[in-house]
Amino acid sequence: MKSPSANTEAGICLPGEQSWELWKHSAAGWQVAQTLSPDEGAPGFKTAGVFGYPVSAAFAVPVRAATGDVDLLPDIVDFQLEKQGLKPDTPVGRLMDFRTVERSETNTLILASVLKAQAAESRPKEAPQRFEISPYLYYLPDDHLVIWRELGRLVFCVTRGDQPVYYHALTSDVLRMETSQELEQLLMPLFTQGIVEEI
């Protein structure tokens, strides 16, 4: 697990395999201090300093910008999200963020994350210092496809270098033959657009 820059002494709330988990750092490393059933609604960990939204709560939108000028990137991301009908229109809160995956003088690869409106409504009652989509809270291997389970559902993340470049919640709760077909369909456009080069 990564140690986010925000104060983590209060703990990190993560979507575990079957339940919400409050992780705290100790002399022995990161350990689960408390769990809550997803049936209880929004996690009620009052002490969490960082809240990790599950992959199923957000859309991942890779964006290729034909510029290295960081001042232009917010407008490019806004335009791409609007074109895909994913630009949040809520006047309250911030439901979108983006991170640079790779940048050169003439090109930038960005991953925009858009929180689904219903997920924003299920945020914890006590506001943490920071919100993140869960893949950003793990150390992920370079240029890999990583699959794990969150709250009973399989999710995956693809990295370019050590940065998430795409993530998605799968329809299955266990690995099946259909899962590999679903993965192929989701990954094909990423290979076609050059967002993922090898896994």
Side-chain angles (χ1 to χ4, degrees):
M1 177 183 307
K2 284 187 182 176
S3 192
S5 56
N7 175 17
T8 54
E9 288 178 20
I12 300 175
C13 175
L14 281 172
E17 281 192 49
Q18 299 293 337
S19 60
W20 286 99
E21 299 173 347
L22 178 64
W23 286 76
K24 291 203 168 187
H25 197 268
S26 68
W30 288 98
Q31 296 180 339
V32 177
Q34 187 182 350
T35 60
L36 285 173
S37 165
D39 300 333
E40 297 177 49
F45 302 126
K46 293 184 178 178
T47 58
V50 178
F51 180 78
Y53 275 109
V55 165
S56 62
F59 297 105
V61 185
V63 176
R64 242 192 213 295
T67 181
D69 186 345
V70 294
D71 294 334
L72 297 176
L73 299 181
D75 291 335
I76 292 170
V77 170
D78 274 356
F79 173 75
Q80 288 296 328
L81 293 178
E82 195 165 336
K83 191 166 86 170
Q84 295 181 42
L86 292 173
K87 186 175 178 184
D89 56 2
T90 177
V92 180
R94 186 170 170 212
L95 301 183
M96 188 276 293
D97 195 12
F98 70 88
R99 302 231 178 139
T100 301
V101 177
E102 283 182 355
R103 186 164 68 89
S104 69
E105 288 184 13
T106 57
N107 275 293
T108 306
L109 178 58
I110 302 158
L111 178 59
S113 296
V114 182
L115 201 60
K116 296 176 182 175
Q118 62 269 32
E121 292 165 9
S122 67
R123 63 184 175 272
K125 298 167 185 74
E126 300 282 328
Q129 294 175 353
R130 185 167 144 206
F131 293 92
E132 287 287 1
I133 307 300
S134 64
Y136 288 109
L137 297 173
Y138 298 114
Y139 285 110
L140 299 173
D142 292 8
D143 304 315
H144 269 67
L145 167 71
V146 184
I147 300 173
W148 68 96
R149 185 176 291 140
E150 288 183 342
L151 305 177
R153 190 169 175 187
L154 288 179
V155 300
F156 78 93
C157 180
V158 180
T159 57
R160 184 166 172 136
D162 64 350
Q163 295 296 311
V165 73
Y166 187 73
Y167 55 79
H168 195 83
L170 296 166
T171 54
S172 178
D173 58 347
V174 293
L175 288 171
R176 298 186 172 97
M177 282 297 295
E178 297 82 20
T179 311
S180 63
Q181 295 167 349
E182 184 179 5
L183 283 167
E184 283 178 20
Q185 290 174 352
L186 291 165
L187 293 174
M188 192 174 297
L190 301 178
F191 280 109
T192 305
Q193 297 165 29
I195 290 165
V196 174
E197 293 176 339
E198 66 174 317
I199 296 177

